[in-house]
């Protein structure tokens, strides 16, 4: 009996040590220095699958681990929910408005005057001011992302869904890509088509892509192993974001209310995306 108890304690101790070592490794990856600002684009094949939630989780994770400036940029259609997910009480300027006044002489303190500070750190640039207006165009997107890379170590872009023009441009020009796929037969099948498209793009776009498999309900709609195997045939890395009651409720994301499995998955997803982003010259 004592021998079995001792073996159980050793296994628990070893498991805990491995978990701490893994968390330390991921933390180092998230804190690694970047020579120039890295842009990580987040998109999906349709709405309502957790795209904006995933982008907000990534932004919050980078804000938590990094000491340099992090930007969450909304490049979705008007009335997107990224400001809500990040807890913004009000918005200042939109992408289109900021694009008109950006100059190379502006300092970070000048730029942040037009952005929304995020409660837990970092900054937010919405696509609109909470009203229906002209959609974000490719020229505006390119102007803003190219200019703001000088000021922010990491920019997480919440794109419109594919095959929108801005989304395709963002996926083509980003340093890393996160494709959010619902754990359903339709979602996995459509995401496989997106991955095959990315494989045709230059500069090894598929190699710098991570797939986030999301569960919208407590019960899996599709066998996780089957879905993972089908998408891994393309060579991408996958991270499963499990169902989380706090995320499902909507509203601002509060990290302390997330389930432990969700926090671990979000951290792994951020580390995987950044690892791929820093490889791009």
């Amino acid at each position: 009996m004592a021998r079995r108890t001792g073996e159980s304690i050793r296994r628990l101790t070893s498991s805990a040590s491995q978990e701490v070592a893994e968390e330390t490794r991921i933390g180092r990856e998230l804190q690694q220095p970047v020579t120039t600002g890295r842009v990580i684009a987040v998109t999906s094949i349709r709405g309502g699958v957790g795209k904006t939630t995933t982008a907000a989780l990534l932004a919050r994770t980078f804000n938590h681990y990094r000491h340099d400036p992090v930007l969450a940029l909304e490049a979705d259609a008007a009335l997107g929910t990224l400001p809500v997910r990040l807890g913004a009480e009000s918005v200042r300027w939109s992408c289109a408005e900021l694009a008109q006044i950006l100059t190379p002489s502006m300092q970070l303190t000048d730029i942040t005057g037009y952005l929304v500070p995020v409660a837990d750190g970092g900054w937010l640039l919405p696509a609109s001011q909470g009203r229906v207006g002209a959609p974000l165009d490719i020229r505006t997107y390119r102007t803003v992302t190219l200019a703001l890379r000088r000021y922010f170590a990491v920019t997480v872009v919440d794109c419109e869904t594919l095959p929108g023009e801005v989304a395709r441009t963002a996926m083509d020009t980003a340093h890393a890509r996160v494709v959010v796929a619902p754990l359903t037969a339709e979602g996995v099948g459509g995401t496989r088509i997106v991955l095959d498209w990315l494989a045709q793009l230059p500069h090894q776009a598929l190699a710098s892509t991570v797939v986030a498999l999301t569960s919208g309900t407590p019960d899996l709609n599709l066998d996780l192993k089957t879905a993972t195997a089908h998408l891994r045939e393309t060579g991408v890395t996958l991270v499963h974001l499990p169902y989380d009651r706090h995320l499902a409720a909507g509203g601002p994301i509060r990290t302390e209310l997330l389930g432990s499995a969700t926090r671990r998955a979000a951290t792994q997803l951020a580390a995987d995306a950044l690892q791929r982003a820093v490889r791009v010259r």
Side-chain angles (χ1 to χ4, degrees):
M1 179 70 177
R3 181 181 301 172
R4 287 199 298 271
T5 301
E7 290 176 353
S8 298
I9 292 174
R10 283 193 293 273
R11 284 198 297 269
L12 288 173
T13 302
S14 175
S15 177
S17 298
Q18 291 174 359
E19 186 173 331
V20 170
E22 181 66 8
E23 290 177 354
T24 301
R25 179 189 65 80
I26 293 175
R28 285 198 299 267
E29 291 180 358
L30 287 167
Q31 294 170 347
Q32 64 183 297
V34 295
T35 53
T36 58
R38 305 284 93 177
V39 177
I40 299 173
V42 183
T43 191
S44 61
I45 58 170
R46 61 181 174 84
V49 301
K51 171 181 66 64
T52 296
T53 298
T54 301
L57 283 172
L58 287 173
R60 286 207 175 278
T61 300
F62 288 126
N63 287 331
H64 175 75
Y65 280 93
R66 300 193 65 85
H67 301 293
D68 40 19
V70 173
L71 174 67
L73 192 155
E74 186 182 41
D76 204 341
L79 304 180
T81 58
L82 186 61
V84 175
R85 283 312 226 175
L86 290 177
E89 296 181 0
S90 62
V91 298
R92 297 180 181 178
W93 288 51
S94 67
C95 285
E97 292 168 328
L98 185 57
Q100 296 176 14
I101 64 166
L102 286 169
T103 64
S105 63
M106 296 178 79
Q107 302 296 313
L108 176 61
T109 51
D110 300 321
I111 295 294
T112 55
Y114 299 98
L115 307 178
V116 180
V118 177
D120 294 338
W123 301 91
L124 164 69
L125 178 60
S128 70
Q129 291 193 354
R131 58 179 181 269
V132 176
L136 186 68
D137 58 61
I138 294 175
R139 181 177 179 181
T140 298
Y141 175 79
R142 286 181 175 274
T143 298
V144 170
T145 52
L146 185 60
L148 296 187
R149 278 176 51 191
R150 297 174 46 223
Y151 307 97
F152 297 93
V154 180
T155 297
V156 178
V157 182
D158 178 23
C159 301
E160 62 183 349
T161 56
L162 290 166
E165 290 186 351
V166 173
R168 284 186 283 124
T169 298
M171 296 294 280
D172 187 25
T173 58
H175 298 99
R177 302 139 187 88
V178 175
V179 179
V180 181
L183 196 53
T184 63
E186 176 192 25
V188 171
T191 299
R192 176 60 186 265
I193 294 174
V194 171
L195 298 179
D196 291 338
W197 166 70
L198 286 170
Q200 305 303 315
L201 296 179
H203 47 257
Q204 297 183 319
L206 187 62
S208 54
T209 298
V210 183
V211 172
L213 278 171
T214 60
S215 296
T217 64
D219 301 317
L220 295 180
N221 302 98
L222 191 67
D223 180 67
L224 180 59
K225 289 184 178 180
T226 301
T228 299
H230 181 58
L231 294 177
R232 275 187 176 152
E233 290 176 355
T234 63
V236 298
T237 296
L238 293 97
V239 176
H240 177 225
L241 289 174
Y243 172 80
D244 189 284
R245 286 188 298 173
H246 173 56
L247 295 179
I253 295 175
R254 295 176 56 185
T255 306
E256 71 274 13
L257 297 181
L258 294 172
S260 58
T262 303
R263 288 197 298 271
R264 287 195 299 270
T267 303
Q268 183 65 64
L269 180 63
D272 287 344
L274 186 61
Q275 278 289 89
R276 283 151 182 76
V278 297
R279 295 174 188 167
V280 179
R281 298 297 179 184

